[in-house]
Amino acid sequence: MTSSNGQPLLALDDVHVYYGNIAAVKGLTMTVMPGEIVTLIGSNGAGKSTTLRTISGLLRPRQGHVTFEGKRIDRTAADEIVRRGIAQSPEGRRIFPRMTVSENLDLGAFLRKDRDRIAADRERVLELFPRLRERITQKAGTMSGGEQQMLAVARALMAKPKLLLLDEPSMGLAPVLVDLIFETISTIREGGTTVLLVEQNALAALRVADRAYVLESGLLNLEGSARELARDPEVVRAYLGG
Amino acid sequence: MTSSAPAVRSPQLAVRARAVAGRAAAILVLAVGAVWLAVNLFHAPTQFFQSAVYGLRNGVLYALIALGYTLVYGIIELINFAHGDLFMLGTLFSAFTLTGLGLTVSSPKGWLGFVLVLVLAMIFCASINVTIEFLAYRRLRRAPKLAPLITAVGMSFILQFVGLRWNGSTPRLWPSVLPAGHFQIGGVNIDYNILVVITVTAGLLALMTWIVTSTRTGKAMRATAQDQDAARLMGINVNRIISFTFAMGGALAGAAGILYQQTVGTTRYNAGFQLGLIAFTAAVLGGIGNLAGAVLGGVLIGVIQGLNDGLPYAFGQEWSQSVVFAILIMLMVFKPTGLLGQNIGEKV
């Protein structure tokens, strides 16, 4: 999957992001090639979610560029970024609690006009997560954390993105569900969607990803193929509990 | 272990006792209210229904204005203090436009003019509200909550000043193009213009409900109200949705403006202050942010006010405001979220 030639789908070039005067990301450079699963791992507060929020346009980098399909998007409005083909399943799920599962899925496809395809994609995500079909008319806020997580991923898929950003999809889930989520990530890639995955569960993330970046205090610490990094003594010590 | 057990149990008992006492007090208050209504109903049934009808007319106007407060609060958690004054500008627009068109008597031409000016007043107030949001509130969206609140108070003064320059400092009586007569049902007079107020309001409420629940924009509004960043991630243009919400609230205030001016007749540059305050109370009573709650709160306050002002055994008109706010205070004690307010943990 990792092709070294060709244009990257997403590229970050020396990106700095601040909250007020506090730097959260300090010069991050990374690329995601079409068709890849790339994971961004690191401990709490390393700047992983900040990076995803910046790519989605919820935050503006103070310095550096973000390019998607060769065009700069770091000054583009968040809704326009979704239109260009980036969807995110955000940290903390952020589903719409007072709306039904069905309405949440509709909102995922908010910008799309192709009604037939939307219906087909809805079938597809409901096949991926049969639990959601059972709960389709239920208010999303009344579901369990695991079900809400599935909904957040399903909702992002409804945008039919070229690039799917997943922020901690395994957070707070039972081990069975964690396996299900990571299996689903592989399935999603087979469907032609590129995935950038942020995870604290480094072991599972490295198993499913092609390449990985290790972030520490807003700085890039290591990068490489997921297989190599899973064997790297430093990574094993710091993130894999070796 | 054994010694600490009773210490753990007694606070629980105290909490339960307080809950029971609270419920008992609430039931007592409601029972007193029910007895009061029953005594009046049996003693003077005609007067009872007559007062209720007048109360209902005011109530639906309160509801229209209350919706503007609750729509804006629901989406950006701002109490838009300028909203009552926007309504006041709506009354002036209606008075000046209809009179300017030479429509001062009830005739088919006048009724047509009423419909036309209703639409124009809605557009007028919607445009002003959108402009206010764009100029004054938008850049304060990430500021501490107090900043937009004070700005809203400032906008209120600006709109009042516009009203002062436009209409003069004294109340002015304007002609109405609505039919003046009434008909009777069982001795209760029902003015034709009350029917107009209720019909127009019902139509607007139906339209608004349809927009919010069934259209793509309505769905985007609800999403934005629940989680702005998540809405952005769906590709929703949040600024546009907030503008649309202000437009909708403004349009309803414009409609309330013409209905008020055409039924009450007089208006004044500060007419929006008192009505705005009552409408805001209605929105809080129903549960701020809840659309059905705003309508319920408005109608309830209107009817209670009407009954208080018109019934033989009541505090009377001079206590009208006190009764309204006493009810609000009591409700806040027993049910702080308002009648239909939600109390669920949303941000999980």
Side-chain angles (χ1 to χ4, degrees), chain B:
Chain B
M1 250 341 206
T2 40
S3 64
S4 73
V8 172
R9 204 177 300 152
S10 61
Q12 281 178 340
L13 276 177
V15 167
R16 196 178 305 166
R18 209 171 300 159
V20 169
R23 191 161 302 166
I27 289 169
L28 188 71
V29 168
L30 286 176
V32 169
V35 168
W36 170 63
L37 289 177
V39 166
N40 279 298
L41 180 61
F42 285 118
H43 192 259
T46 311
Q47 211 175 336
F48 183 91
F49 287 111
Q50 189 67 66
S51 311
V53 165
Y54 283 121
L56 184 65
R57 183 200 63 187
N58 289 338
V60 297
L61 292 179
Y62 296 156
L64 281 177
I65 307 172
L67 279 168
Y69 282 101
T70 234
L71 277 165
V72 165
Y73 184 86
I75 210 145
I76 55 170
E77 291 184 14
L78 166 73
I79 307 292
N80 182 10
F81 280 112
H83 191 70
D85 304 289
L86 183 69
F87 153 79
M88 177 275 298
L89 289 185
T91 65
L92 296 189
F93 178 86
S94 154
F96 278 88
T97 313
L98 277 169
T99 314
L101 290 170
L103 302 167
T104 53
V105 289
S106 175
S107 65
K109 210 172 130 195
W111 303 333
L112 208 67
F114 171 80
V115 175
L116 175 73
V117 176
L118 170 69
V119 174
L120 291 179
M122 288 173 72
I123 296 173
F124 174 75
C125 287
S127 317
I128 293 181
N129 219 21
V130 169
T131 311
I132 290 174
E133 190 274 329
F134 182 73
L135 292 179
Y137 304 152
R138 180 164 296 184
R139 54 213 70 222
L140 295 175
R141 214 172 281 158
R142 278 162 205 273
K145 289 259 155 81
L146 211 51
L149 206 65
I150 298 295
T151 309
V153 173
M155 280 319 304
S156 163
F157 283 123
I158 292 173
L159 296 191
Q160 281 191 33
F161 183 75
V162 172
L164 188 63
R165 294 303 300 257
W166 197 2
N167 190 50
S169 62
T170 50
R172 277 166 81 170
L173 183 66
W174 297 89
S176 170
V177 298
L178 298 180
H182 60 78
F183 62 96
Q184 283 200 332
I185 302 178
V188 178
N189 292 340
I190 300 190
D191 296 354
Y192 292 123
N193 65 25
I194 290 183
L195 289 184
V196 173
V197 169
I198 289 174
T199 311
V200 170
T201 305
L204 290 175
L205 292 185
L207 181 65
M208 187 204 69
T209 309
W210 175 75
I211 291 174
V212 171
T213 56
S214 307
T215 65
R216 190 167 170 270
T217 307
K219 219 171 252 181
M221 276 173 77
R222 286 184 290 144
T224 306
Q226 289 177 40
D227 190 333
Q228 251 184 55
D229 272 353
R232 281 196 181 92
L233 290 178
M234 301 301 107
I236 293 167
N237 184 333
V238 166
N239 279 338
R240 197 179 298 162
I241 291 300
I242 291 173
S243 289
F244 182 80
T245 307
F246 272 81
M248 218 156 105
L252 294 175
I258 182 171
L259 291 174
Y260 177 89
Q261 183 269 321
Q262 286 291 299
T263 51
V264 176
T266 34
T267 181
R268 192 183 180 177
Y269 76 96
N270 60 3
F273 177 71
Q274 202 185 30
L275 256 93
L277 205 57
I278 292 175
F280 170 60
T281 306
V284 175
L285 189 76
I288 189 119
N290 185 307
L291 300 182
V295 176
L296 178 68
V299 170
L300 264 182
I301 286 187
V303 171
I304 290 170
Q305 236 182 359
L307 292 175
N308 176 68
D309 296 358
L311 288 183
Y313 307 112
F315 294 105
Q317 207 160 4
E318 62 269 39
W319 287 89
S320 203
Q321 307 287 328
S322 313
V323 169
V324 167
F325 288 100
I327 289 169
L328 178 75
I329 291 167
M330 268 190 287
L331 187 86
M332 290 295 104
V333 170
F334 295 119
K335 199 167 186 306
T337 50
L339 289 172
L340 301 182
Q342 278 155 324
N343 202 9
I344 50 165
E346 269 162 20
K347 290 186 174 141
V348 252

Side-chain angles (χ1 to χ4, degrees), chain A residues 23-26 42-47 214-221 239:
Chain A
V25 173
K26 307 163 189 165
S43 53
N44 234 338
V214 181
L215 210 55
E216 208 173 87
S217 311
L219 290 166
L220 201 58
N221 192 14
Y239 305 104

Side-chain angles (χ1 to χ4, degrees), chain A residues 228-240:
Chain A
E228 281 165 25
L229 282 180
R231 282 192 306 245
D232 186 285
E234 196 184 339
V235 173
V236 170
R237 184 181 46 74
Y239 305 104
L240 302 180

Side-chain angles (χ1 to χ4, degrees), chain A:
Chain A
M1 277 294 163
T2 355
S3 53
S4 48
N5 52 355
Q7 192 191 41
L9 185 64
L10 176 82
L12 276 72
D13 180 22
D14 189 33
V15 168
H16 295 250
V17 190
Y18 284 72
Y19 292 106
N21 286 324
I22 299 152
V25 173
K26 307 163 189 165
L28 176 61
T29 299
M30 62 179 285
T31 56
V32 178
M33 303 303 289
E36 270 190 319
I37 297 179
V38 173
T39 183
L40 191 57
I41 56 179
S43 53
N44 234 338
K48 308 188 297 291
S49 294
T50 304
T51 306
L52 291 197
R53 290 171 64 80
T54 307
I55 296 169
S56 278
L58 296 179
L59 295 170
R60 296 262 169 268
R62 186 173 288 188
Q63 195 186 315
H65 306 294
V66 181
T67 45
F68 182 68
E69 294 185 310
K71 293 195 186 89
R72 275 186 70 174
I73 56 166
D74 47 87
R75 290 288 177 272
T76 308
D79 54 302
E80 177 58 28
I81 290 176
V82 177
R83 187 168 285 128
R84 301 236 186 125
I86 302 181
Q88 182 178 164
S89 161
E91 185 185 25
R93 307 184 282 262
R94 308 292 284 269
I95 47 119
F96 300 106
R98 278 176 280 152
M99 294 198 196
T100 63
V101 169
S102 179
E103 285 177 309
N104 268 276
L105 292 177
D106 288 347
L107 280 163
F110 185 75
L111 290 176
R112 294 173 60 186
K113 304 269 186 271
D114 46 344
R115 289 197 178 188
D116 307 345
R117 293 274 189 76
I118 292 175
D121 282 342
R122 199 182 160 93
E123 264 317 294
R124 192 170 61 99
V125 299
L126 291 176
E127 263 160 44
L128 277 177
F129 302 107
R131 271 299 257 293
L132 295 181
R133 198 193 296 274
E134 292 166 25
R135 313 245 173 223
I136 197 83
T137 57
Q138 196 174 320
K139 290 260 187 295
T142 64
M143 299 199 298
S144 74
E147 289 162 344
Q148 292 189 16
Q149 185 64 66
M150 292 178 202
L151 178 57
V153 176
R155 185 180 65 175
L157 283 174
M158 286 303 292
K160 205 176 177 43
K162 294 169 191 161
L163 174 64
L164 175 65
L165 309 177
L166 295 173
D167 199 341
E168 304 270 8
S170 75
M171 178 91 109
L173 296 192
V176 191
L177 287 179
V178 174
D179 290 346
L180 174 72
I181 289 274
F182 281 103
E183 262 170 49
T184 309
I185 293 171
S186 297
T187 318
I188 290 167
R189 185 254 296 271
E190 279 154 28
T193 306
T194 307
V195 179
L196 175 56
L197 168 68
V198 154
E199 258 303 333
Q200 278 202 62
N201 185 345
L203 188 63
L206 289 174
R207 212 176 277 151
V208 73
D210 304 310
R211 286 188 307 118
Y213 292 86
V214 181
L215 210 55
E216 208 173 87
S217 311
L219 290 166
L220 201 58
N221 192 14
L222 284 166
E223 60 173 291
S225 83
R227 191 170 301 188
E228 281 165 25
L229 282 180
R231 282 192 306 245
D232 186 285
E234 196 184 339
V235 173
V236 170
R237 184 181 46 74
Y239 305 104
L240 302 180

